[in-house]
Amino acid sequence: MARRPKRTDNGGPPLDDYDGPPWGEGDAYIFFAWQAAHAKAWKAPSRDVMLMRLDKAERLGLTYEEYTLELLERGRHLQEEDAERITEIKAARKRRRPR
């Protein structure tokens, strides 16, 4: 019987330094599924789509990566009416900067 994962475990690959296989002690299938999903989500879109996202991101004061991540996570394009969410993203950017 498989062990029950910890409450904080997201089922993904290990994030710390580890000398074993890249999928850790868990199921290799989960590791490869995560790897494939990540590659599919961040696959380069067409040039026109990329330029459209870049233009929208710049108009909203976000980076291309922030705008795309929001689109992938929430499934909707940010608009100028989403000022509260845009402010949250910019505040998170300031917290992530190295000191």
Side-chain angles (χ1 to χ4, degrees), residues 8-9 17 19-20 26-27 37-38 41 43 49 62-63 75-77 82-83 88-90 92 94:
T8 58
D9 185 14
D17 293 335
D19 293 330
D27 189 2
H38 181 271
K43 178 183 163 200
V49 170
L62 301 174
T63 65
R76 63 184 297 266
H77 293 272
D82 300 320
E88 290 174 10
I89 294 170
K90 288 180 181 179
K94 291 177 183 172

Side-chain angles (χ1 to χ4, degrees), residues 40-60:
K40 184 178 178 183
W42 286 100
K43 178 183 163 200
S46 69
R47 180 181 182 276
D48 293 334
V49 170
M50 192 177 298
L51 290 174
M52 178 198 66
R53 288 181 186 170
L54 181 61
D55 181 52
K56 285 186 175 185
E58 287 176 348
R59 279 191 276 134
L60 296 172

Side-chain angles (χ1 to χ4, degrees), residues 41-42 45 49 52-53 56 62 64-78 85 89:
W42 286 100
V49 170
M52 178 198 66
R53 288 181 186 170
K56 285 186 175 185
L62 301 174
Y64 173 82
E65 289 79 11
E66 290 169 337
Y67 184 84
T68 302
L69 186 60
E70 185 69 16
L71 177 62
L72 292 173
E73 285 182 345
R74 311 260 189 247
R76 63 184 297 266
H77 293 272
L78 288 173
R85 180 64 188 144
I89 294 170

